[in-house]
Structure formats: structure tokens, C-alpha cells
Amino acid sequence: ETGVTQTPRHLVMGMTNKKSLKCEQHLGHNAMYWYKQSAKKPLELMFVYSLEERVENNSVPSRFSPECPNSSHLFLHLHTLQPEDSALYLCASSQGLGLQGSQFFGPGTRLTVL
Amino acid sequence: KNEVEQSPQNLTAQEGEFITINCSYSVGISALHWLQQHPGGGIVSLFMLSSGKKKHGRLIATINIQEKHSSLHITASHPRDSAVYICAVRSSLGSGDKLTFGTGTRLAVRP
């Protein structure tokens, strides 16, 4: 247990559905991240939140919409996704950004878009 | 070509063998991370190092900054070591730090 939980662990959705991924950290960290991991590709950073403000958005399509209501929770709202969005979505948290912020990862949500 | 290259991509070992996983990078870095990802998807940070060598249990990580190369060694390997091992480098940009990940090395240790 890393102190970062994600729900659901598995999600299958159609292209017209709307769903949300949830991440919660119990570590008192002030930065949270969403990553996408596709098969045989490196981890891709999607969004970074620091002190509940989005500080990085790595050219992610608008069909992915993050929300950080407080420092312990991070959501990723999904709508009209494409089959190529099927991947493992990982949440992470850290205390601070940069070198002092070792990231703790959640178990991930395995998303399949039909 | 990725900024972070790992080798081998896949590795199968017999229990008890000494294992080495390599990571080469092409950018200037402030630190390098070794991560372990289990079949369920969860990722655990094993090491963060910026010079020399670190040891934790049966795991040893080394880095050579001049050669832009790091190795992760596992001594007396065990089936529970089976996982994907990911190298990630932290480099500084004008606006802050950036983490770049390798594609990972999939390790299977057979009993």
C-alpha cells in the first residue's frame, strides 16, 4: 500500500459514455498527477496539480477533464473517448514538485474503450 | 529515439541468478529514479539517485553521470521480483522539472 488509492480498478466504457476516475491520497501531499500508460510505451504525464491548481497540461485532448477539489482528491472525467484511449491510468502524489517530490503511485485504473 | 533507453526489454531468469537492468539517457539530469511496477499496475519507487550507488536489501542501483548510464542489480533473484522495472530521469527545464520515463524492462524469475 502506497497511500494512494484509485477507483475503479477496471472500467469498460463505450465511446458515448461519460465516466470519472477517482484518486485519493492519504499522505498529506500537496501535488497530484495523472499519467497514461499504453502498451509498450513509456509513461506519459497528462496533468499536474500543485496546491489544487493545475500547473501542467501536456497537450491532452479535451475529452479528458481533470478536477482537483482539494489536496487529497483528484478526478479525471472522461467523455466521448476513442478506442486508442484504452490504457492504464495512474495517479500519483508527492510533497512538493521537483527533486524533493518523490512520487507515490496508485494501483491504476485499467480503462477499455469499446 | 526515446530520451531514456532501457535494456533488455524482456528478461527471464532462474531463481537465485544475479540480474542487471540497464538504463541510458541522452539529456542532462538532476536525478534518476528506478521504479517497480507489479502485474496489477501499481508502481513503487525503489531508488532515487544522483550519483554513486545505493543499496536496499537485494537491490543495488548505480549511476555514472559522465557516461549517462545507470544499472539496477538484483542479487539472489526470487520469483516475487517478477515485475516491470522502469527507469525515469528528472531534468530541469526553465519552468520546472520534467520526468521522462523509459519503456521498462519486464523481468520474469522462474522458480
Side-chain angles (χ1 to χ4, degrees):
Chain A
E1 288 292 329
T2 61
V4 181
T5 58
Q6 288 187 242
T7 54
R9 295 294 308 277
H10 299 271
L11 179 62
V12 179
M13 59 188 288
M15 290 193 286
T16 58
N17 292 157
K18 288 185 181 181
K19 296 285 184 185
S20 296
L21 309 185
K22 180 182 174 183
C23 175
E24 185 173 358
Q25 57 96 0
H26 312 274
L27 301 167
H29 289 167
N30 57 15
M32 297 187 78
Y33 311 76
W34 277 118
Y35 288 91
K36 176 183 178 184
Q37 188 177 35
S38 304
K40 299 190 179 178
K41 285 188 179 180
L43 276 165
E44 301 170 56
L45 180 63
M46 301 174 72
F47 301 104
V48 181
Y49 276 82
S50 177
L51 300 172
E52 299 150 45
E53 284 193 23
R54 193 189 311 177
V55 297
E56 192 162 338
N57 176 348
N58 280 342
S59 304
V60 179
S62 60
R63 56 187 184 269
F64 295 92
S65 174
E67 179 191 359
C68 187
N70 55 61
S71 59
S72 300
H73 293 86
L74 184 66
F75 294 90
L76 188 63
H77 304 299
L78 316 171
H79 64 97
T80 58
L81 293 192
Q82 304 297 312
E84 60 264 27
D85 297 322
S86 298
L88 181 70
Y89 289 84
L90 289 155
C91 172
S93 71
S94 67
Q95 181 57 31
L97 300 173
L99 193 60
Q100 68 276 20
S102 288
Q103 294 181 25
F104 290 73
F105 286 81
T109 294
R110 172 91 41 205
L111 173 68
T112 302
V113 181
L114 301 176
Chain B
K1 184 172 164 59
N2 289 339
E3 290 178 334
V4 181
E5 295 279 349
Q6 287 186 235
S7 63
Q9 290 187 0
N10 294 282
L11 180 58
T12 301
Q14 208 60 38
E15 183 173 357
E17 285 184 0
F18 180 83
I19 289 162
T20 296
I21 299 170
N22 297 298
C23 176
S24 297
Y25 52 92
S26 56
V27 296
I29 69 168
S30 53
L32 181 143
H33 299 257
W34 280 103
L35 309 169
Q36 180 190 54
Q37 184 173 27
H38 283 282
I43 293 178
V44 174
S45 178
L46 298 175
F47 295 104
M48 182 176 78
L49 64 166
S50 53
S51 66
K53 174 179 170 179
K54 284 191 177 180
K55 184 176 190 290
H56 182 71
R58 295 180 294 107
L59 301 178
I60 303 167
T62 64
I63 187 168
N64 185 319
I65 297 294
Q66 287 74 29
E67 294 185 5
K68 293 189 164 67
H69 181 269
S70 175
S71 293
L72 176 69
H73 306 284
I74 305 176
T75 61
S77 60
H78 190 276
R80 64 174 174 267
D81 298 325
S82 299
V84 176
Y85 291 85
I86 301 171
C87 170
V89 300
R90 187 180 292 278
S91 50
S92 296
L93 302 175
S95 56
D97 281 14
K98 173 187 171 187
L99 259 185
T100 306
F101 295 83
T103 52
T105 294
R106 186 174 299 277
L107 171 66
V109 181
R110 293 185 175 156

